[in-house]
Amino acid sequence: KKRGPVWGPRLFKAHRALQSLGFVLALIGVIYGMAELAGGHLEPHGAMGLLIMIIAAGLMLSGILKPKPEPRTMARVAFEIFHKKMGPAVAFMGVFNCVAGGYLAQDQESSLNAFSSFLIPSAVTTVLFAVAFLFGKCTGAPP
């Protein structure tokens, strides 16, 4: 069975670019959130964001350092399991945490319009993510 980007190199390049952009935006959010922590107390939303970023950093690093597809080694199998299975999970967790953060921000600071303007795109992204995930499952696209 031949392995590799089933839908072609353009999809792989788009995946890499969009994931890199998402990682940078999430990193900015985490840095901002940590900078705002005056008392040093990490709320559940912040702890979840930090966990998501640690896993996402591992995913980015595994994508950079991935073993070659052939010969098929245990390292390659471990990479595929971690990178291809944790990717959708951490993406879903990240979008969910963004939506939850938008709701929390609206409750805490009603004057911060920036947070409410991120809430709608986060909710739309959640729906698009779910549709893309289900489409991939139904058409046999790579996970």
Side-chain angles (χ1 to χ4, degrees):
K1 181 177 173 180
K2 185 176 180 182
R3 299 193 181 269
V6 176
W7 286 19
R10 286 191 351 207
L11 180 67
F12 178 73
K13 287 179 183 176
H15 164 78
R16 189 170 37 190
L18 290 173
Q19 294 305 318
S20 297
L21 175 64
F23 183 80
V24 169
L25 292 175
L27 187 60
I28 291 168
V30 167
I31 291 169
Y32 175 78
M34 293 297 167
E36 291 296 309
L37 265 177
H41 178 70
L42 194 61
E43 296 290 332
H45 169 71
M48 178 65 100
L50 196 55
L51 175 65
I52 290 165
M53 285 306 299
I54 290 168
I55 297 170
L59 285 167
M60 296 288 284
L61 192 59
S62 76
I64 293 168
L65 301 175
K66 67 183 172 213
K68 300 220 181 287
E70 300 298 332
R72 195 130 168 86
T73 62
M74 285 301 293
R76 179 64 186 200
V77 172
F79 158 75
E80 289 177 2
I81 290 170
F82 177 71
H83 191 82
K84 294 181 180 181
K85 302 301 180 191
M86 286 300 293
V90 80
F92 176 78
M93 289 179 355
V95 171
F96 175 80
N97 207 39
C98 285
V99 172
Y103 279 116
L104 288 171
Q106 280 185 329
D107 287 345
Q108 294 169 359
E109 297 280 343
S110 60
S111 64
L112 292 177
N113 291 329
F115 284 110
S116 58
S117 66
F118 283 114
L119 184 60
I120 292 172
S122 294
V124 170
T125 302
T126 303
V127 172
L128 292 175
F129 176 79
V131 168
F133 181 79
L134 291 173
F135 176 76
K137 287 293 183 189
C138 293
T139 61

